[in-house]
Structures are given as C-alpha cells and as structure tokens.
CSV table of all heavy atoms in Angstrom, one decimal:
chain,number,residue,atom,x,y,z
A,1,ARG,N,-11.8,-1.5,6.3
A,1,ARG,CA,-10.9,-0.6,5.5
A,1,ARG,C,-10.2,-1.3,4.2
A,1,ARG,O,-10.2,-0.8,3.2
A,1,ARG,CB,-9.7,-0.3,6.5
A,1,ARG,CG,-10.1,0.5,7.6
A,1,ARG,CD,-8.8,1.0,8.5
A,1,ARG,NE,-9.3,1.6,9.7
A,1,ARG,CZ,-9.2,0.9,10.8
A,1,ARG,NH1,-8.6,-0.3,10.9
A,1,ARG,NH2,-9.6,1.5,12.0
A,2,PHE,N,-9.9,-2.6,4.4
A,2,PHE,CA,-9.3,-3.3,3.2
A,2,PHE,C,-10.2,-3.3,2.1
A,2,PHE,O,-9.9,-3.0,0.9
A,2,PHE,CB,-8.9,-4.8,3.7
A,2,PHE,CG,-8.5,-5.6,2.6
A,2,PHE,CD1,-7.2,-5.5,2.0
A,2,PHE,CD2,-9.3,-6.5,1.9
A,2,PHE,CE1,-6.8,-6.3,0.9
A,2,PHE,CE2,-8.9,-7.3,0.9
A,2,PHE,CZ,-7.7,-7.2,0.4
A,3,GLY,N,-11.5,-3.7,2.3
A,3,GLY,CA,-12.5,-3.9,1.3
A,3,GLY,C,-12.8,-2.5,0.6
A,3,GLY,O,-12.9,-2.5,-0.6
A,4,ALA,N,-12.9,-1.5,1.5
A,4,ALA,CA,-13.2,-0.2,1.0
A,4,ALA,C,-12.1,0.4,0.1
A,4,ALA,O,-12.3,0.9,-1.0
A,4,ALA,CB,-13.5,0.7,2.1
A,5,LYS,N,-10.9,0.2,0.6
A,5,LYS,CA,-9.7,0.7,-0.2
A,5,LYS,C,-9.5,-0.1,-1.5
A,5,LYS,O,-9.3,0.5,-2.6
A,5,LYS,CB,-8.4,0.4,0.5
A,5,LYS,CG,-8.3,1.5,1.7
A,5,LYS,CD,-7.0,1.3,2.6
A,5,LYS,CE,-6.9,2.2,3.7
A,5,LYS,NZ,-5.7,2.1,4.5
A,6,ARG,N,-9.8,-1.4,-1.5
A,6,ARG,CA,-9.7,-2.2,-2.7
A,6,ARG,C,-10.7,-1.8,-3.7
A,6,ARG,O,-10.5,-1.8,-4.9
A,6,ARG,CB,-9.8,-3.7,-2.3
A,6,ARG,CG,-9.7,-4.7,-3.5
A,6,ARG,CD,-9.8,-6.1,-3.1
A,6,ARG,NE,-11.0,-6.4,-2.3
A,6,ARG,CZ,-11.3,-7.7,-1.8
A,6,ARG,NH1,-10.4,-8.6,-2.0
A,6,ARG,NH2,-12.4,-7.9,-1.2
A,7,ALA,N,-11.9,-1.4,-3.2
A,7,ALA,CA,-13.0,-1.0,-4.1
A,7,ALA,C,-12.8,0.4,-4.6
A,7,ALA,O,-13.5,0.9,-5.5
A,7,ALA,CB,-14.3,-1.0,-3.3
A,8,GLY,N,-11.8,1.1,-4.1
A,8,GLY,CA,-11.6,2.6,-4.4
A,8,GLY,C,-12.7,3.5,-4.0
A,8,GLY,O,-13.0,4.5,-4.6
A,9,ALA,N,-13.2,3.1,-2.9
A,9,ALA,CA,-14.2,3.8,-2.3
A,9,ALA,C,-13.9,5.1,-1.7
A,9,ALA,O,-12.8,5.4,-1.2
A,9,ALA,CB,-15.1,3.0,-1.2
A,10,THR,N,-14.8,6.1,-1.7
A,10,THR,CA,-14.6,7.3,-0.8
A,10,THR,C,-14.9,6.9,0.6
A,10,THR,O,-16.0,6.5,0.9
A,10,THR,CB,-15.6,8.5,-1.3
A,10,THR,OG1,-15.3,8.7,-2.7
A,10,THR,CG2,-15.4,9.7,-0.4
A,11,ILE,N,-13.8,7.1,1.5
A,11,ILE,CA,-13.9,6.4,2.8
A,11,ILE,C,-14.1,7.5,3.9
A,11,ILE,O,-13.4,8.5,3.9
A,11,ILE,CB,-12.7,5.6,3.1
A,11,ILE,CG1,-12.6,4.5,2.1
A,11,ILE,CG2,-12.8,4.9,4.5
A,11,ILE,CD1,-11.3,3.7,2.2
A,12,VAL,N,-15.1,7.2,4.8
A,12,VAL,CA,-15.2,8.0,6.0
A,12,VAL,C,-15.0,7.0,7.3
A,12,VAL,O,-15.6,6.0,7.3
A,12,VAL,CB,-16.6,8.7,6.1
A,12,VAL,CG1,-16.9,9.3,7.5
A,12,VAL,CG2,-16.7,9.7,5.0
A,13,GLU,N,-14.3,7.4,8.2
A,13,GLU,CA,-14.1,6.5,9.4
A,13,GLU,C,-14.5,7.3,10.6
A,13,GLU,O,-14.2,8.5,10.8
A,13,GLU,CB,-12.6,6.2,9.6
A,13,GLU,CG,-12.5,5.3,10.8
A,13,GLU,CD,-11.2,4.3,10.7
A,13,GLU,OE1,-10.6,4.3,9.6
A,13,GLU,OE2,-10.9,3.8,11.7
A,14,ILE,N,-15.4,6.7,11.4
A,14,ILE,CA,-15.9,7.3,12.6
A,14,ILE,C,-15.2,6.6,13.8
A,14,ILE,O,-15.5,5.3,14.1
A,14,ILE,CB,-17.4,7.1,12.7
A,14,ILE,CG1,-18.1,7.9,11.6
A,14,ILE,CG2,-17.9,7.7,14.1
A,14,ILE,CD1,-19.5,7.9,11.6
A,15,GLU,N,-14.3,7.2,14.4
A,15,GLU,CA,-13.6,6.7,15.6
A,15,GLU,C,-14.6,6.4,16.7
A,15,GLU,O,-15.4,7.2,17.1
A,15,GLU,CB,-12.5,7.7,16.0
A,15,GLU,CG,-11.6,7.1,17.1
A,15,GLU,CD,-10.5,8.0,17.5
A,15,GLU,OE1,-10.4,9.1,16.8
A,15,GLU,OE2,-9.8,7.9,18.5
A,16,GLY,N,-14.5,5.2,17.3
A,16,GLY,CA,-15.3,5.0,18.5
A,16,GLY,C,-16.6,4.4,18.1
A,16,GLY,O,-17.5,4.1,19.0
A,17,ALA,N,-17.0,4.3,16.9
A,17,ALA,CA,-18.4,3.8,16.4
A,17,ALA,C,-18.3,2.3,16.5
A,17,ALA,O,-17.5,1.5,16.1
A,17,ALA,CB,-18.6,4.3,15.0
A,18,SER,N,-19.6,1.8,17.1
A,18,SER,CA,-19.8,0.4,17.0
A,18,SER,C,-20.3,-0.1,15.7
A,18,SER,O,-20.5,0.6,14.7
A,18,SER,CB,-20.8,0.1,18.1
A,18,SER,OG,-22.0,0.4,17.7
A,19,HIS,N,-20.6,-1.4,15.6
A,19,HIS,CA,-21.2,-2.0,14.4
A,19,HIS,C,-22.5,-1.5,14.1
A,19,HIS,O,-22.9,-1.3,12.9
A,19,HIS,CB,-21.3,-3.5,14.7
A,19,HIS,CG,-21.5,-4.3,13.4
A,19,HIS,ND1,-20.7,-4.3,12.3
A,19,HIS,CD2,-22.6,-5.1,13.0
A,19,HIS,CE1,-21.1,-5.0,11.2
A,19,HIS,NE2,-22.4,-5.5,11.7
A,20,ALA,N,-23.2,-1.0,15.2
A,20,ALA,CA,-24.5,-0.4,15.1
A,20,ALA,C,-24.5,1.1,14.8
A,20,ALA,O,-25.2,1.8,15.3
A,20,ALA,CB,-25.4,-0.7,16.3
A,21,VAL,N,-23.6,1.5,13.9
A,21,VAL,CA,-23.4,2.9,13.8
A,21,VAL,C,-24.6,3.5,13.1
A,21,VAL,O,-24.8,4.7,13.4
A,21,VAL,CB,-22.1,3.1,12.9
A,21,VAL,CG1,-22.3,2.5,11.4
A,21,VAL,CG2,-21.7,4.6,12.7
A,22,ALA,N,-25.4,2.9,12.3
A,22,ALA,CA,-26.6,3.4,11.7
A,22,ALA,C,-27.6,3.7,12.8
A,22,ALA,O,-28.4,4.7,12.6
A,22,ALA,CB,-27.2,2.5,10.7
A,23,VAL,N,-27.6,3.0,13.9
A,23,VAL,CA,-28.4,3.4,15.1
A,23,VAL,C,-27.9,4.4,15.9
A,23,VAL,O,-28.6,5.3,16.3
A,23,VAL,CB,-28.7,2.0,15.9
A,23,VAL,CG1,-29.5,2.4,17.2
A,23,VAL,CG2,-29.3,0.9,15.1
A,24,SER,N,-26.5,4.4,16.2
A,24,SER,CA,-25.9,5.3,17.1
A,24,SER,C,-25.7,6.7,16.5
A,24,SER,O,-25.7,7.8,17.2
A,24,SER,CB,-24.7,4.8,17.7
A,24,SER,OG,-23.7,4.6,16.8
A,25,GLN,N,-25.3,6.7,15.1
A,25,GLN,CA,-24.9,7.9,14.4
A,25,GLN,C,-25.7,8.0,13.1
A,25,GLN,O,-25.0,8.1,12.1
A,25,GLN,CB,-23.5,8.0,14.4
A,25,GLN,CG,-22.7,7.9,15.6
A,25,GLN,CD,-21.3,8.6,15.6
A,25,GLN,OE1,-21.1,9.6,15.0
A,25,GLN,NE2,-20.4,7.8,16.3
A,26,PRO,N,-27.0,8.1,13.1
A,26,PRO,CA,-27.7,8.1,11.9
A,26,PRO,C,-27.4,9.3,11.0
A,26,PRO,O,-27.4,9.2,9.7
A,26,PRO,CB,-29.1,8.0,12.3
A,26,PRO,CG,-29.2,8.5,13.7
A,26,PRO,CD,-27.9,8.1,14.3
A,27,LYS,N,-27.1,10.4,11.6
A,27,LYS,CA,-26.9,11.7,10.9
A,27,LYS,C,-25.6,11.6,10.0
A,27,LYS,O,-25.6,11.8,8.8
A,27,LYS,CB,-26.7,12.9,11.7
A,27,LYS,CG,-28.1,13.3,12.3
A,27,LYS,CD,-28.0,14.6,13.0
A,27,LYS,CE,-29.3,15.2,13.6
A,27,LYS,NZ,-29.2,16.5,14.2
C-alpha cells in the first residue's frame, strides 16, 4: 500500500488474496 500510494498508482485491493494472487485470481 505504501509503495503504491507513494507512486500515485491507481490501486485495487483484493481482500483475502495471498501473495500468489496471479495464480488464485488471474481474472
């Protein structure tokens, strides 16, 4: 969160997602 906010990024947060979110929630 800190890095994303500092970068001024457009942020999406997925509650309950693990580090392997690209595997568990690819869509």
Side-chain angles (χ1 to χ4, degrees):
R1 292 186 193 104
F2 172 81
K5 289 178 181 177
R6 180 174 61 181
T10 299
I11 303 171
V12 171
E13 181 157 349
I14 300 182
E15 185 177 353
S18 77
H19 194 59
V21 63
V23 178
S24 63
Q25 302 202 44
K27 288 187 177 182

